[in-house]
Each structure stands twice: as structure tokens, then as C-alpha cells.
Amino acid sequence: MPKPYFGKQPLPKYKPSETALEAITAWEAALKLEEETRAAARKALADDLKADPDLPYAAVAAHPRVPWTEATLRIFGKEFKVPPRQPNKAKQD
């Protein structure tokens, strides 16, 4: 026999502590800063690609400090209007 259902039970009142509120506020500020710095890094990489039309996306993505893949960099390229690459004319260092 199934248990009877008496509807949604009321929840007790909750008031976050000052510590919890401060932690949430600090976390929200960190998220905002992270979004701003990520956008700045994306723009800087797009500017690097604009500055050197022979630089392939793959070379940028292969750098150990660049956290994005070649495909993601191509999305940034479209967003920031980076001119198309000429893969057969890329510089060989």
C-alpha cells in the first residue's frame, strides 16, 4: 500500500548568518572579477592574432599558458573580427 501524500511540507524560516552573507558576497565579487579578467584575456589573444596575420590559431592554442583550444580561439576570432588565416602561408619558425 503506498504512503499517503499530505502535500508540500512548510519549510522552517532561515536567516543566514553574517559569516554566510559575507562569504556569498565575496564569492559574487570573485565571479565578477573572473568574468572581467577572462574577457580581457580573450581580447588580448584576439589582438595578438590581429597583429600577426600569419600566426595560426593552432600556434596560439599550443602555447602552455593559453587555456583555450584552437576551436575556441576561432570563436573568439569571429567575435573580435580577426581576419582569416592563410594556413599554407604560416610562418615556420
Side-chain angles (χ1 to χ4, degrees):
M1 181 169 161
K3 292 182 178 180
Y5 177 69
F6 296 109
K8 187 175 178 181
Q9 299 298 312
L11 295 173
K13 297 287 182 187
Y14 168 68
K15 182 178 181 209
S17 66
E18 285 299 316
T19 305
L21 291 174
E22 289 171 5
I24 291 169
T25 301
W27 173 66
E28 290 170 341
L31 282 178
K32 184 176 181 187
L33 179 63
E34 188 269 338
E35 290 172 6
E36 292 169 358
T37 54
R38 182 180 58 224
R42 290 172 49 175
K43 183 175 183 331
L45 288 172
D47 290 345
D48 286 351
L49 287 162
K50 283 182 186 179
D52 186 357
D54 291 332
L55 181 64
Y57 286 100
V60 176
H63 192 279
R65 293 285 297 158
V66 175
W68 293 292
T69 63
E70 180 181 352
T72 304
L73 290 174
R74 288 181 184 280
I75 293 169
F76 299 165
K78 285 182 183 177
E79 180 182 337
F80 291 102
K81 297 179 177 41
V82 173
R85 307 285 103 172
Q86 298 283 333
N88 294 333
K89 295 182 181 179
K91 291 179 185 173
Q92 300 295 321
D93 291 333

